[in-house]
Amino acid sequence: MKLVSFNINGIKARGPALTRWLDAFQPDVLVMQEIKSVDDGFPREIFTERGYHLETHGQKGFNGVAIASLLPLSDVTRGLPGDDDDAQSRYIEATVQGATHSLRVCGLYLPNGNPVELDGAGAPLPGGKYAYKLAWMDRLRARAAELLAAETPFVMLGDYNIIPQPEDAARPKAWENDALFRLPSRAAFRRIVNLGLTDALRARTQAPESYTFWDYQAGAWDRNDGIRIDHILLCPYAADWLQDCGIDRAVRGEEKPSDHVPIWAEMAL
């Protein structure tokens, strides 16, 4: 089974490029972020014409996540538990059944968190974007712990907006005060991983320059000024099924690309 996470940065803007990539890569399960479309306006035919089941959790103009699967999707839930007042569409879950195992697929678009707004003591200002990011990560950790306690095989994949280590950025110094790389952000990510999850890419390779995002500005792609912020985290059950993981870097150099590229995992299910 080929599982992929892809921040497409607008389903309508990326339609032709996404169609070309789908036909070439043919993922079994695709988790998308930043679809930037309400559910009713999503161009479903891109997927249904290719035999995919599709579930969306959209939002007008911003955010939005979706799962497309060649296998049926069951027990679909939308929204990350823990805050009933959270109106942002950033999380979706569904179960897929492989040949021998079922897998809970948790698709996420973690908040960016910028600008970083702090009080005089250096704590995140309540109601600010950085406070929202850290609180969202606490909720994600709680959800992962809940799935682990239930012994549910799961994968959490998506745009985490976290640069885990200095080697995950071409210029780590430039990101020191950014919400993606600040120490509290990285510590929150590490608390999630330390529940017993496996970073699929780093389980397969320690290769340098394993980036998944290049900004549209300042020639970042041409200079390879990238960062790794899209991740696939596996519970212990799912980690046992991992066969390979990689980044489809070439997509970034094609016509009208997203600023992210797909990250994929092959799993024996």
Side-chain angles (χ1 to χ4, degrees):
M1 180 185 294
K2 292 189 291 187
L3 292 92
V4 182
S5 171
F6 193 179
N7 180 321
I8 58 174
N9 192 18
I11 183 65
K12 295 171 184 175
R14 226 57 60 200
L18 179 60
T19 298
R20 290 193 301 271
W21 176 82
L22 273 175
D23 290 339
F25 197 84
Q26 298 182 347
D28 295 296
V29 179
L30 169 63
V31 172
M32 293 168 279
Q33 304 88 40
E34 279 200 279
I35 62 174
K36 298 181 180 179
S37 170
V38 296
D39 295 339
D40 290 344
F42 191 96
R44 304 179 67 87
E45 65 279 0
I46 293 175
F47 298 95
T48 56
E49 290 175 356
R50 290 165 173 78
Y52 284 91
H53 305 269
L54 180 69
E55 297 290 344
T56 62
H57 182 35
Q59 184 175 341
K60 185 177 180 179
F62 298 94
N63 305 325
V65 288
I67 302 176
S69 174
L70 291 174
L71 301 166
L73 295 167
S74 62
D75 192 17
V76 179
T77 60
R78 295 167 173 82
L80 182 64
D83 183 356
D84 293 338
D85 295 327
D86 187 357
Q88 298 192 29
S89 298
R90 294 182 173 273
Y91 190 82
I92 188 169
E93 282 188 14
T95 297
V96 296
Q97 178 64 53
T100 55
H101 304 285
S102 64
L103 181 69
R104 191 72 175 160
V105 176
C106 309
L108 62 100
Y109 176 42
L110 203 147
N112 178 286
N114 287 304
V116 176
E117 301 158 308
L118 307 176
D119 63 20
L125 280 176
K129 291 185 176 181
Y130 192 53
Y132 175 62
K133 179 190 185 88
L134 296 179
W136 206 95
M137 295 182 77
D138 286 343
R139 289 160 55 200
L140 185 65
R141 183 185 183 279
R143 180 56 182 155
E146 184 178 30
L147 290 167
L148 287 166
E151 298 186 352
T152 301
F154 70 92
V155 53
M156 286 183 163
L157 69 168
D159 177 359
Y160 279 76
N161 271 315
I162 292 290
I163 306 168
Q165 301 290 343
E167 57 266 30
D168 294 313
R171 296 182 300 121
K173 286 281 186 183
W175 295 91
E176 283 183 344
N177 296 315
D178 193 281
L180 278 64
F181 193 57
R182 293 189 78 244
L183 285 175
S185 307
R186 293 158 59 194
F189 181 77
R190 185 55 50 190
R191 285 193 292 272
I192 296 170
V193 174
N194 285 349
L195 291 172
L197 307 187
T198 295
D199 180 339
L201 186 77
R202 289 311 185 200
R204 297 296 302 169
T205 180
Q206 297 299 317
E209 301 183 356
S210 296
Y211 308 138
T212 63
F213 172 91
W214 296 259
D215 198 284
Y216 291 128
Q217 307 299 319
W221 168 246
D222 293 332
R223 295 185 293 108
N224 196 27
D225 185 10
I227 53 178
R228 185 174 77 102
I229 56 175
D230 302 85
H231 309 297
I232 299 175
L233 299 185
L234 306 169
C235 78
Y237 291 112
D240 286 344
W241 304 331
L242 178 67
Q243 296 181 316
D244 203 1
C245 183
I247 297 167
D248 196 355
R249 177 190 176 101
V251 175
R252 184 62 173 81
E254 296 180 359
E255 185 179 359
K256 294 183 178 179
S258 170
D259 43 8
H260 295 250
V261 296
I263 180 171
W264 54 267
E266 289 186 358
M267 302 180 68
L269 287 175

